[in-house]
Amino acid sequence: MKIINDYILKETKMSIVFGITLFTFIFLIEMIVSMMESILVRGLSIIDVSRMISFYLPMILSQTIPMGIFLGIMITFGNLTRNNEITALNSMGVSLNKLLKPIIGIGVVGTIFIFFLQESLIPRSYIKLQQISYKMIYENPVFQLKDRVLIDGISEYKIYIDSINKKTKDAENVLVMINDKKSEYPTLVLGKTAYWEDAALLLNDADFYKHDEKGNVSVTGNFEKKRVPFTSYFEDIKVKIKDIEGMNIKQLLSEIKTRDKIEILPYIVEINRKIAVPMSTIALAILGVLLSIGNARTGKGVNFGIGIIVIFLYIVLLNIGMVLAYRSIISPFLGVWFPNIVLYIYTLFLYSRKVRLV
């Protein structure tokens, strides 16, 4: 039986890789088009864009692995059925339960790996995405530090840079004008050197001058280091991903403790989603076998089509359930788990029919 299990795993491996790659590429198409626009129009580095896409991969894989496993198993067992290999295995006394053992193993491994992505890699990838987004913003022409340049595309700030140190790459003799709503005269901050750090311009040895309504200097001071934040500007151009999606279950539970009852609903929905989606992998793996065996006339195109329809229905039901849960029409548990309940019931129903035939 070990030889048969190894053979099934060998035949399934490449098909699963194909399935996961296909669905991952579909998810990435829109992002790639958007990134190409950023490269051509905004002059972003191809390397930085590639890195950003790579940090998105764990988030995408957590959704595409169940789909890819399902499609890959359907393709494999469809081929085995058409080549009469399933019939040959049945004649040797290999039952459906024995055929399903390595497939269930694949589903379990896939489930564990998705949990690993969600609980470990995705939170880290989210942080990396934030960091690289800042880097890409700093390299935007609006933020580039150059000799004798005036940066005035940043809301209430204007920055004048006299020169750039060729060795340290720091700006020298920097003037920052901060518009004051209470006065028509801006607050002036003069720094000997400056450089970007996170979402702020950090000035060394900085003097500041605040003016009153008549234009007279009313307040002055000196700082060894002066941080000029640009948080409000950067919030509009951060990575477009909900913070909640970048959290693991432990972080979500911690957030729930600090929120009001009205605010915790999205976190409860997300926790259920992070458990339900990985748990669908085992049912989809088994269903891939059950839908493929027993009909030797079914072609690859038919199996592929059935697979796409099943996945499409699962995604639609999941999204509808989450929307209803967010609006408090149904409970978060029912909204998120209903597709899994339907999936497992259908899998058990199909198994009860196939086990008598195979």
Side-chain angles (χ1 to χ4, degrees):
M1 191 62 205
K2 184 178 182 302
I3 296 174
I4 295 173
N5 288 344
D6 291 342
Y7 176 71
I8 291 173
L9 292 174
K10 180 182 176 182
E11 290 295 309
T12 307
K13 181 169 61 177
M14 291 309 298
S15 297
I16 290 176
V17 171
F18 165 76
I20 294 173
T21 303
L22 174 65
F23 287 113
T24 302
F25 179 74
I26 292 172
F27 274 65
L28 281 172
I29 287 176
E30 183 180 354
M31 187 186 303
I32 291 172
V33 171
S34 175
M35 293 298 182
M36 289 302 296
E37 181 183 354
S38 298
I39 292 172
L40 296 174
V41 177
R42 301 179 184 177
L44 300 180
S45 165
I46 294 178
I47 295 176
D48 284 337
V49 171
S50 300
R51 287 182 63 203
M52 181 170 278
I53 291 174
S54 71
F55 291 133
Y56 268 108
L57 278 178
M59 305 175 197
I60 295 173
L61 284 172
S62 67
Q63 301 176 61
T64 58
I65 286 175
M67 305 175 190
I69 288 177
F70 171 64
L71 184 61
I73 289 173
M74 280 202 70
I75 292 172
T76 300
F77 276 81
N79 291 334
L80 294 176
T81 300
R82 283 189 298 276
N83 296 332
N84 294 318
E85 292 179 74
I86 295 296
T87 304
L89 289 172
N90 292 156
S91 65
M92 295 168 56
V94 179
S95 64
L96 177 60
N97 290 337
K98 291 180 180 179
L99 285 175
L100 288 175
K101 279 186 179 179
I103 301 305
I104 293 173
I106 291 172
V108 171
V109 171
T111 300
I112 293 171
F113 184 67
I114 295 171
F115 277 122
F116 168 71
L117 290 176
Q118 292 182 163
E119 299 305 297
S120 180
L121 287 187
I122 290 178
R124 296 177 186 177
S125 295
Y126 177 73
I127 294 171
K128 291 291 184 182
L129 273 170
Q130 297 292 348
Q131 292 173 347
I132 197 172
S133 66
Y134 283 137
K135 179 180 181 295
M136 293 168 71
I137 292 166
Y138 296 144
E139 293 178 353
N140 187 282
V142 174
F143 287 93
Q144 285 179 5
L145 302 180
K146 296 181 180 179
D147 292 336
R148 292 176 183 162
V149 64
L150 177 66
I151 302 174
D152 60 355
I154 316 171
S155 58
E156 72 269 25
Y157 299 99
K158 288 185 180 180
I159 304 170
Y160 175 76
I161 298 166
D162 183 54
S163 61
I164 299 296
N165 188 306
K166 294 182 179 179
K167 291 184 179 179
T168 64
K169 303 299 182 181
D170 290 344
E172 296 180 340
N173 301 321
V174 179
L175 169 63
V176 179
M177 291 168 276
I178 307 172
N179 294 330
D180 191 346
K181 294 180 181 179
K182 298 180 180 179
S183 174
E184 59 179 308
Y185 301 98
T187 298
L188 303 180
V189 182
L190 303 172
K192 288 191 175 180
T193 60
Y195 57 91
W196 292 119
E197 183 178 87
D198 295 330
L201 185 68
L202 196 63
L203 301 168
N204 295 318
D205 192 9
D207 298 315
F208 81 91
Y209 304 88
K210 189 175 180 64
H211 299 81
D212 58 21
E213 295 178 356
K214 296 181 180 180
N216 299 318
V217 176
S218 59
V219 182
T220 63
N222 177 270
F223 297 95
E224 184 178 343
K225 288 185 181 294
K226 174 64 177 176
R227 188 181 183 86
V228 181
F230 294 90
T231 307
S232 60
Y233 181 87
F234 281 85
E235 282 177 350
D236 296 332
I237 37 184
K238 281 184 180 180
V239 179
K240 292 182 179 179
I241 176 174
K242 296 178 181 178
D243 289 349
I244 197 171
E245 295 177 5
M247 297 180 185
N248 56 32
I249 294 176
K250 183 179 178 181
Q251 291 168 334
L252 290 168
L253 290 172
S254 298
E255 284 291 324
I256 288 176
K257 295 177 182 178
T258 63
R259 304 278 175 173
D260 297 331
K261 288 184 178 181
I262 301 176
E263 298 177 322
I264 65 174
L265 187 58
Y267 296 90
I268 296 174
V269 172
E270 185 65 17
I271 288 172
N272 278 279
R273 189 191 71 82
K274 286 183 179 295
I275 299 173
V277 172
M279 293 301 295
S280 69
T281 309
I282 300 172
L284 285 170
I286 297 171
L287 189 61
V289 176
L290 300 177
L291 288 173
S292 303
I293 62 175
N295 190 358
R297 297 179 182 179
T298 303
K300 287 184 179 180
V302 174
N303 283 345
F304 189 84
I306 293 172
I308 296 295
I309 291 171
V310 170
I311 290 165
F312 175 77
L313 290 174
Y314 180 83
I315 294 174
V316 168
L317 288 174
L318 179 62
N319 287 333
I320 292 174
M322 289 179 67
V323 169
L324 294 175
Y326 281 131
R327 295 182 179 180
S328 299
I329 297 174
I330 59 177
S331 70
F333 180 85
L334 181 60
V336 176
W337 284 90
F338 180 72
N340 277 34
I341 294 170
V342 173
L343 186 64
Y344 272 92
I345 290 174
Y346 180 60
T347 301
L348 288 171
F349 168 74
L350 205 58
Y351 171 79
S352 65
R353 292 187 59 186
K354 295 284 183 177
V355 75
R356 294 193 296 265
L357 300 175
V358 179

